[in-house]
């Protein structure tokens, strides 16, 4: 008689990372062993997941009453960090408490690269969540994700429109990887043994400065794009002028300044080691972004 597959739960399953984790899991385990946590069962994104054969359960970080029932019968759970900055710690603690009550065997948490020493303002809530995990008594693994290359690829369209890529990262090197690489790492941890207590520092194999990123955009698009380095305050102001909310603009400017201090660089190659292949080169993500723009007209 075969051993049943562990029941795997992905929180925030309709988000950008969550959808990719589900996709990676479906390559490894049967769909009926996967449970996707969603805020609403009626959304179009939830319907897309249902069509893939996974089970849907309502799991809202901000509504603790939904969580214990959602986690019933779950063996391993991926806690994808909340997008609600400033409320993350309380929301994550809700998930951790419900996981304890429901008998979850292992939680994997998506933290931030070198969260314990990172200069990024984002690191504080991740540090506090990691502390809560350690104090919970649960088995856990920490996936300290570095920067997604898509974070900078989102600036390619305006950079091509104006011939300038703005930032405040100076000569800081950024070891990013594609979001799908990090999703695959999460799937590996959920579907294989030996990860309890591990803290993985996950980053791309190759690093670049934003000057090099702009040069790659130029080479791959055939249009001249140069990098213009600004002060943190000037970069924040430029982002606000472009229509970004002030809090988000401040976060991006702070992240670039932290990159200037080495906060987004790493050379240990733990991500490629975990997924068993090289990480996606940043030039590949740039090329795919430019190709997608051309396809959309």
């Amino acid at each position: 008689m075969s051993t049943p597959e562990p029941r795997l739960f992905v929180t925030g399953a309709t988000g950008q990372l969550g959808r990719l984790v589900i996709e990676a899991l479906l390559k490894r385990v049967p769909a009926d062993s996967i449970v996707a946590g969603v805020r609403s069962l009626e959304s179009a994104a939830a319907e897309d997941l249902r069509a893939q054969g996974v089970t849907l359960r309502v799991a809202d970080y901000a509504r603790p009453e939904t969580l214990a029932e959602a986690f019933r019968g779950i063996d391993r759970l991926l806690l994808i960090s909340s997008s609600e900055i400033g409320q993350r710690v309380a929301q994550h603690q809700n998930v951790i408490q419900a996981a304890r009550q429901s008998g979850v065997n292992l939680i994997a948490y998506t933290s931030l690269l070198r969260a314990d020493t990172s200069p990024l303002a984002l690191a504080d809530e991740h540090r506090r969540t990691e502390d809560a995990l350690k104090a919970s008594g649960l088995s856990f693994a920490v996936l300290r994700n570095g920067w997604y290359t898509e974070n900078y690829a989102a600036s390619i369209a305006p950079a091509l429109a104006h011939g300038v890529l703005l930032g405040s990262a100076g000569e800081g090197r950024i070891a990013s990887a594609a979001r799908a690489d990090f999703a695959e790492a999460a799937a590996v941890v959920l579907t294989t043994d030996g990860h309890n207590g591990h803290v993985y520092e996950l980053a791309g194999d190759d690093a670049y400065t934003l000057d090099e990123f702009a040069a790659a955009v130029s080479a791959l698009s055939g249009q001249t794009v140069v990098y213009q380095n600004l002060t943190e305050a000037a970069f924040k102001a430029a982002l606000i002028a472009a229509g970004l909310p002030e809090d988000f603009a401040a976060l991006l400017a702070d992240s670039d300044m932290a990159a200037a201090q080495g906060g987004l660089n790493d050379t240990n190659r733990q991500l490629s080691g975990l997924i068993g292949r090289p990480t996606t080169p940043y030039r590949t993500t740039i090329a795919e972004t430019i190709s997608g723009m051309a396809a959309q007209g």
Side-chain angles (χ1 to χ4, degrees):
M1 185 174 178
S2 61
T3 303
E5 292 283 351
R7 293 282 280 177
L8 311 176
F9 195 104
V10 178
T11 68
T14 57
Q16 291 177 303
L17 179 62
R19 291 196 299 268
L20 291 171
V21 174
I22 296 291
E23 184 179 312
L25 286 173
L26 286 168
K27 297 175 182 177
R28 290 167 170 76
V29 297
D32 61 8
S33 68
I34 303 169
V35 182
V38 299
R39 287 186 179 182
S40 169
L41 297 175
E42 311 304 324
S43 69
E47 287 297 331
D48 288 343
L49 291 173
R50 185 181 284 112
Q52 296 178 68
V54 305
T55 300
L56 300 185
R57 293 182 186 173
V58 173
D60 188 331
Y61 298 161
R63 296 167 55 206
E65 69 276 8
T66 68
L67 298 174
E69 178 62 22
F71 300 159
R72 179 175 46 82
I74 297 302
D75 182 41
R76 298 172 182 173
L77 181 146
L78 176 65
L79 169 53
I80 293 178
S81 57
S82 167
S83 60
E84 298 181 59
I85 296 169
Q87 302 178 50
R88 284 173 157 178
V89 178
Q91 292 181 353
H92 296 164
Q93 287 177 329
N94 289 340
V95 173
I96 293 167
Q97 179 61 28
R100 287 185 58 194
Q101 293 174 353
S102 304
V104 170
N105 289 324
L106 180 137
I107 292 185
Y109 171 62
T110 61
S111 186
L112 179 71
L113 184 66
R114 295 195 303 277
D116 52 341
T117 59
S118 174
L120 276 75
L122 283 173
D124 178 63
E125 289 184 299
H126 289 296
R127 282 192 290 264
R128 292 163 64 191
T129 299
E130 289 186 17
D131 288 343
L133 272 174
K134 292 171 185 174
S136 71
L138 288 164
S139 296
F140 68 90
V142 177
L143 305 174
R144 286 181 170 169
N145 289 355
W147 229 229
Y148 305 140
T149 308
E150 289 88 347
N151 292 350
Y152 284 116
S155 299
I156 290 176
L160 288 172
H162 300 285
V164 177
L165 176 71
L166 299 178
S168 55
E171 293 300 312
R173 303 197 69 78
I174 299 153
S176 70
R179 187 179 277 109
D181 295 341
F182 293 99
E184 188 172 344
V188 168
V189 169
L190 286 180
T191 57
T192 59
D193 297 327
H195 304 288
N196 180 31
H198 283 257
V199 177
Y200 295 101
E201 304 287 359
L202 304 179
D205 291 344
D206 57 337
Y208 53 88
T209 65
L210 288 187
D211 188 59
E212 292 169 342
F213 190 92
V217 173
S218 295
L220 292 165
S221 68
Q223 297 178 229
T224 300
V225 173
V226 298
Y227 174 57
Q228 183 177 349
N229 195 61
L230 304 173
T231 65
E232 181 178 0
F235 184 37
K236 175 184 172 183
L239 292 171
I240 293 171
L244 271 64
E246 182 173 355
D247 287 351
F248 188 48
L251 183 153
L252 293 179
D254 171 82
S255 299
D256 258 25
M257 285 301 295
Q261 302 171 47
L264 296 179
N265 195 19
D266 186 85
T267 59
N268 291 320
R269 299 198 171 196
Q270 291 187 28
L271 177 54
S272 55
L274 196 55
I275 64 179
R277 60 167 176 79
T279 59
T280 305
Y282 73 94
R283 289 178 178 83
T284 298
T285 301
I286 292 173
E288 291 173 348
T289 302
I290 293 171
S291 177
M293 290 166 54
Q296 293 175 5

